[in-house]
Amino acid sequence: MTPGSTKVAEPEFDALVVGAGFAGMYMLHRLRKLGMTARVFEAGDGVGGTWFWNRYPGARCDTESVEYSYSFSDEIQQKWEWSERYPTQPEILRYANWVAEQLDLKRDILFSTRVNAAHFDEASSQWTVTTSDGSTTRCRFLIMATGCLSTANLPDIPGVETFAGSRFHTGNWPHEPFSFEGQVVGIIGTGSSAIQSIPIVASQAKHLYIFQRTANYSVPAHNGPLEPERLDEIKTNYHDYRHRARHSRRGYFEDTNPVSAHQVSEDERRREFERRWQFGGLGFIASYNDLLSDEAANEHAAEFVRNRIREIVEDPETAEKLVPYSYPIGTKRLCIDSGYYETFNQPNVTLIDARDEPIVEVTERGIRTSETEYNVDSLILATGFDAMTGTLKRIDIRGRNGLELRSYWEDGPVSYLGLGVSGFPNMFTITGPGSPSVLSNMMVSIEQHVEWIADCLEYLQANSIETIEPDAEAEAEWTRHVIEVADGMLFSKGNSWWKGANIEGKPTVFMPYAGGVGRYRSICDDVAANSYSGFDLSKAPASASSTS
Ligand code: NA7
């Protein structure tokens, strides 16, 4: 079938992909390899997804560059040269554009085009997708590659719209360079985005006021140039490294230490935490295999970080405000920093504990708390995202019988394997809720989903199957399993965006699958090997034509 076909019964594309981040880009490549006609709709005017929008100062990936990259093409992984251990946002964006060129992807991506609605028509088994330019496009398969952190959360602080100075959200940063030189700046939030940007903003601003509602745990990145010898060694052994990551717990080259924190002496534990602290990065939380499931084990790691904060921050009162007590380490996303705690030793930086001194409103001039008004020239909202479901629920998605996804998910997302939703035939979600996604190296999870979906589409074609959708019972069972796994861990103790706790009124349901990427991969593989068990497949009526 060719795009633009006038035959009404025919879909215009075999597949439409929503989003041109790393998921959408790779999906397009795989769809082409299957010989399918495909188009990608992308709201931004470039590829890169998360990395297209998050341009705040200091934006950098917390996963090492050699791991946060595509593995599906050895040519691509051998050719590209990362410059630093952790890639900056501009470098990741350059990489995304370079890959798009290598694979000639852009000719099938419609930029500056937001998907507003997608409705399934049962008579034709087609999706009709309505975009921001008012046009509609029909397809057989709808693949949501909308990312997990793509809807910025504007806090519901009274007056936030009235601020007269420059206002920024880290997740939607302007594309033009902006300097805070000589300015008084206020930043609300101390999550990962704030922790990355604060040292940079503090180096420019005349004064920086940081409004912290919850103290976070952060581990140093110890970023630096990527040594050529290390890069060579990885490139030589890339195949083995990638294999290890795909079958690991978190999707990284180095797996979680299989030892319990209780199995070793206090001295040994301290040495291991110290070694990982000095090495830097998210691997700190993988020091022992029970840090996320055993409170006492967790407390050892938490206390280690608390003591480090007290050592780094000179003013004891400020240090105490920065020390996190309210949740076990790792039950909210661990942060990785470059000089975050050290920044509080600068005379031009003030920490305001918004628990002791709550923010009352944003005024034209600044931020008013219960105690005083802080006048600022610029206001940075580092207040996170309506994660994982926010973007999907903002699109008017309707499946069989007009079933709306947003109402189906009113009490929290349900899905089968985080790949599909019952009642929404031929719709796939890449790294959707119910899959490891944000608990893992996203690249590993993205590639696994894209490859699984591509194999599934091939199977459907080969077997003349018209529609696939999760069986409601399999979906309910999987959703229960996702929650059960999380309940067996300490995640209920952190008010994280993983469970929607950061958004007023959002159902508090733990969304990602915490069972590990290796285990999850074999579950998905088994499902595929068993003729897509847990999915309902329906054959095309004999008269219907095939799509490609
Ligand atoms: P996060 O991690 O959700 O952090 C948002 C921060 O903003 C966090 O400190 C919040 O405090 C704070 N916040 C949110 N709303 C308010 C209001 N109304 N008042 C005061 N403070 C508020 O988002 P990030 O962008 O930093 O990171 C997202 C992910 O990107 C990260 O986990 C990595 O995976 C990369 P709270 O903790 O809710 O008390």
Side-chain angles (χ1 to χ4, degrees):
M1 194 209 68
T2 47
S5 161
T6 50
K7 223 171 137 192
V8 175
E10 291 276 303
E12 288 151 289
F13 292 94
D14 293 326
L16 288 177
V17 180
V18 188
F22 285 120
M25 287 167 62
Y26 183 31
M27 193 71 246
L28 172 61
H29 177 62
R30 290 302 294 249
L31 288 165
R32 282 182 181 168
K33 285 192 122 187
L34 289 173
M36 288 184 143
T37 56
R39 170 157 289 178
V40 181
F41 290 127
E42 166 56 52
D45 61 14
V47 295
T50 294
W51 303 104
F52 177 87
W53 300 104
N54 282 263
R55 298 174 187 235
Y56 59 85
R60 194 184 280 283
C61 187
D62 285 346
T63 296
E64 295 196 27
S65 46
V66 289
E67 304 191 55
Y68 194 82
S69 49
Y70 286 125
S71 73
F72 67 83
S73 154
D74 194 47
E75 194 187 339
I76 282 177
Q77 70 182 6
Q78 294 296 339
K79 263 192 189 170
W80 180 261
E81 299 280 319
W82 292 104
S83 67
E84 288 179 86
R85 181 177 168 192
Y86 294 96
T88 59
Q89 174 272 332
E91 190 168 12
I92 302 172
L93 202 55
R94 277 200 299 279
Y95 171 73
N97 278 286
W98 176 80
V99 173
E101 274 165 35
Q102 298 290 304
L103 302 176
D104 188 21
L105 296 178
K106 289 188 183 175
R107 67 185 156 86
D108 284 324
I109 305 174
L110 214 59
F111 292 105
S112 306
T113 306
R114 187 175 281 281
V115 169
N116 291 333
H119 295 175
F120 183 73
D121 171 50
E122 289 183 64
S124 61
S125 292
Q126 288 177 28
W127 283 92
T128 301
V129 171
T130 309
T131 43
S132 47
D133 57 1
S135 62
T136 57
T137 315
R138 290 186 319 279
C139 65
R140 268 194 72 202
F141 298 103
L142 176 65
I143 305 173
M144 306 307 289
T146 43
C148 296
L149 297 165
S150 41
T151 297
N153 168 40
L154 209 62
D156 55 355
I157 302 171
V160 75
E161 305 285 355
T162 63
F163 180 65
S166 309
R167 195 189 77 188
F168 305 87
H169 191 290
T170 49
N172 198 357
W173 202 265
H175 293 192
E176 308 72 42
F178 186 91
S179 170
F180 295 99
E181 213 68 50
Q183 287 202 350
V184 178
V185 182
I187 181 163
I188 299 178
T190 51
S192 186
S193 304
I195 281 175
Q196 288 188 338
S197 57
I198 281 168
I200 315 278
V201 178
S203 72
Q204 299 171 357
K206 184 162 85 186
H207 201 94
L208 176 61
Y209 292 108
I210 299 163
F211 295 83
Q212 169 190 274
R213 190 166 66 178
T214 309
N216 256 316
Y217 298 90
S218 185
V219 171
H222 294 309
N223 186 39
L226 200 50
E227 302 301 334
E229 304 76 42
R230 164 126 172 98
L231 195 54
D232 280 355
E233 190 273 322
I234 286 169
K235 285 193 171 180
T236 309
N237 299 297
Y238 237 147
H239 180 267
D240 294 344
Y241 277 116
R242 300 291 202 184
H243 179 82
R244 221 180 297 162
R246 287 184 199 119
H247 296 275
S248 71
R249 184 165 182 82
R250 302 177 312 125
Y252 295 100
F253 292 173
E254 192 185 332
D255 209 348
T256 304
N257 182 1
V259 172
S260 157
H262 297 303
Q263 247 173 281
V264 297
S265 69
E266 197 183 327
D267 267 3
E268 195 177 332
R269 249 189 337 254
R270 203 174 310 118
R271 274 199 303 278
E272 182 62 8
F273 290 145
E274 184 61 39
R275 186 184 74 76
R276 289 186 186 245
W277 181 271
Q278 292 308 335
F279 182 73
L282 292 171
F284 185 84
I285 203 64
S287 307
Y288 294 101
N289 71 357
D290 49 0
L291 294 189
L292 292 174
S293 55
D294 180 297
E295 259 188 290
N298 184 288
E299 183 58 19
H300 292 306
E303 195 51 22
F304 179 90
V305 176
R306 292 182 196 126
N307 285 331
R308 284 289 171 279
I309 299 170
R310 293 185 185 108
E311 281 167 21
I312 300 169
V313 180
E314 289 158 8
D315 173 41
E317 218 176 290
T318 306
E320 240 8 76
K321 285 183 190 166
L322 287 165
V323 167
Y325 278 112
S326 60
Y327 66 100
I329 185 169
T331 60
K332 288 174 83 162
R333 171 63 150 68
L334 183 63
C335 300
I336 302 302
D337 71 275
S338 296
Y340 173 63
Y341 293 119
E342 290 80 352
T343 306
F344 293 90
N345 297 331
Q346 290 179 207
N348 66 331
V349 173
T350 305
L351 177 67
I352 294 116
D353 187 334
R355 299 260 180 210
D356 294 346
E357 191 186 329
I359 297 172
V360 174
E361 62 171 344
V362 172
T363 66
E364 256 183 55
R365 293 180 305 274
I367 298 141
R368 198 165 68 76
T369 66
S370 56
E371 304 299 313
T372 186
E373 183 170 352
Y374 297 87
N375 290 343
V376 298
D377 302 305
S378 287
L379 173 62
I380 301 173
L381 302 171
T383 45
F385 300 87
D386 185 352
M388 305 199 70
T389 53
T391 306
L392 290 168
K393 286 177 83 173
R394 273 167 182 77
I395 301 171
D396 174 17
I397 301 175
R398 298 187 200 186
R400 283 192 199 283
N401 303 315
L403 176 66
E404 287 184 61
L405 185 73
R406 58 171 77 114
S407 55
Y408 192 55
W409 280 6
E410 204 174 342
D411 299 326
V414 286
S415 80
Y416 184 45
L417 301 169
L419 275 162
V421 185
S422 171
F424 298 83
N426 292 350
M427 181 182 91
F428 297 93
T429 50
I430 302 180
T431 65
S435 73
S437 63
V438 291
L439 294 182
S440 68
N441 174 355
M442 282 302 285
M443 279 297 203
V444 171
S445 288
I446 283 171
E447 286 193 334
Q448 186 251 333
H449 265 193
V450 169
E451 286 158 15
W452 190 95
I453 293 167
D455 290 348
C456 175
L457 295 178
E458 194 173 14
Y459 177 90
L460 302 184
Q461 273 188 324
N463 292 281
S464 308
I465 289 162
E466 187 168 65
T467 61
I468 179 167
E469 70 181 292
D471 167 71
E473 222 168 273
E475 176 180 272
E477 200 177 306
W478 178 256
T479 304
R480 264 195 306 276
H481 175 61
V482 170
I483 290 167
E484 219 170 69
V485 172
D487 284 350
M489 301 175 82
L490 299 173
F491 291 117
S492 64
K493 297 187 181 294
N495 281 329
S496 65
W497 55 259
W498 291 329
K499 60 176 196 184
N502 62 327
I503 304 289
E504 186 73 29
K506 190 167 172 170
T508 313
V509 175
F510 195 79
M511 296 181 282
Y513 178 58
V517 299
R519 180 168 150 198
Y520 174 79
R521 175 182 295 269
S522 53
I523 295 170
C524 291
D525 288 351
D526 286 349
V527 165
N530 287 307
S531 312
Y532 294 90
S533 51
F535 285 94
D536 292 331
L537 311 182
S538 69
K539 287 252 180 199
S543 57
S545 58
S546 111
T547 57
S548 54

